[in-house]
């Protein structure tokens, strides 16, 4: 890739966004931003209590991620963000038109097992059902790729790098 993409690593909780994101950024030679760090404290408190966020709750979070992605246009970057709904991805694209998505996908049982072994994360496994119910996979007209999360982090990252190489150069 001549011009680095700004990549949003998306998917339901437990797919490995926080693991794969930094590995992908390192492979692409660009900075990584943890999407959870963009959440206002009120959102973290809600999720910690097992309460799913509303679309309204997510707007300032999406706007902050979009602003970061916009600032990386032409420079490249990787940020994690669940981006479960098309409307969320549309909002991110409105802020950063050249952004592309790496949708981490996988078997629900595998994802739940991985979530149950995480330490110190605010998203309880009880919210996984709401995540899958909310998920709207990438549509054919959305710039991005699906990447299966079976296997280890290095294998998943390599799959993502190969898939991104097939995408057109980013829009500036």
């Amino acid at each position: 890739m001549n011009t680095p993409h700004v990549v949003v690593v998306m998917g339901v909780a437990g797919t490995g966004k926080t693991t794969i994101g930094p590995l992908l950024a390192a492979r692409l030679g660009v900075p990584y931003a943890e999407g959870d760090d963009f959440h206002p404290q009120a959102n973290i408190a809600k999720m910690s209590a097992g309460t799913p966020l509303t679309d309204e709750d997510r707007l300032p979070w999406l706007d902050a991620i979009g602003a970061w992605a916009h600032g990386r246009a032409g420079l490249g970057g990787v940020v994690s963000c669940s981006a479960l709904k098309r409307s969320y991805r549309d909002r991110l694209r409105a802020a950063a038109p050249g952004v592309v998505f790496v949708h981490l996908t996988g078997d629900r049982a595998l994802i739940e097992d991985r979530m149950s072994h995480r330490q110190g994360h605010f998203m309880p496994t009880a919210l996984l059902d709401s995540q899958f119910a909310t998920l709207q996979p990438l549509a054919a007209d959305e710039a991005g790729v699906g990447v299966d999360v079976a296997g280890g982090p290095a294998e998943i990252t390599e799959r993502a790098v190969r898939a991104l190489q097939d995408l057109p150069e980013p829009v500036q």
Side-chain angles (χ1 to χ4, degrees):
M1 287 179 270
N2 296 331
T3 304
H5 287 281
V6 177
V7 178
V8 176
V9 179
M10 64 167 282
V12 300
T15 52
K17 296 181 296 292
T18 300
T19 300
I20 303 305
L23 294 173
L24 181 59
R27 279 292 313 273
L28 298 177
V30 297
Y32 170 73
E34 170 55 52
D36 287 341
D37 293 344
F38 293 90
H39 271 297
Q41 188 57 44
N43 286 6
I44 293 172
K46 271 183 109 167
M47 289 184 285
S48 296
T51 305
L53 299 178
T54 65
D55 285 352
E56 189 173 315
D57 292 331
R58 287 183 178 89
L59 295 181
W61 174 63
L62 292 167
D63 290 344
I65 292 171
W68 183 89
H70 177 79
R72 297 300 311 163
L75 303 170
V78 176
V79 61
S80 59
C81 173
S82 54
L84 298 178
K85 288 185 179 180
R86 170 74 185 241
S87 62
Y88 305 163
R89 297 187 298 270
D90 288 346
R91 192 169 184 101
L92 292 171
R93 275 190 295 271
V99 73
V100 297
F101 295 88
V102 169
H103 181 189
L104 298 179
T105 63
D107 176 74
R108 189 194 183 290
L110 171 66
I111 293 167
E112 184 174 24
D113 180 65
R114 288 182 179 172
M115 279 185 77
S116 70
H117 292 94
R118 291 197 300 192
Q119 301 294 318
H121 195 275
F122 58 80
M123 178 69 83
T125 57
L127 289 183
L128 190 55
D129 287 334
S130 74
Q131 293 256 305
F132 272 105
T134 301
L135 177 63
Q136 297 170 344
L138 286 174
D141 66 334
E142 293 185 89
V145 295
V147 175
D148 186 8
V149 297
E155 181 182 350
I156 298 163
T157 302
E158 189 56 37
R159 258 186 240 129
V161 169
R162 283 195 314 267
L164 286 169
Q165 289 171 341
D166 294 335
L167 291 178
E169 290 297 316
V171 176
Q172 298 303 318

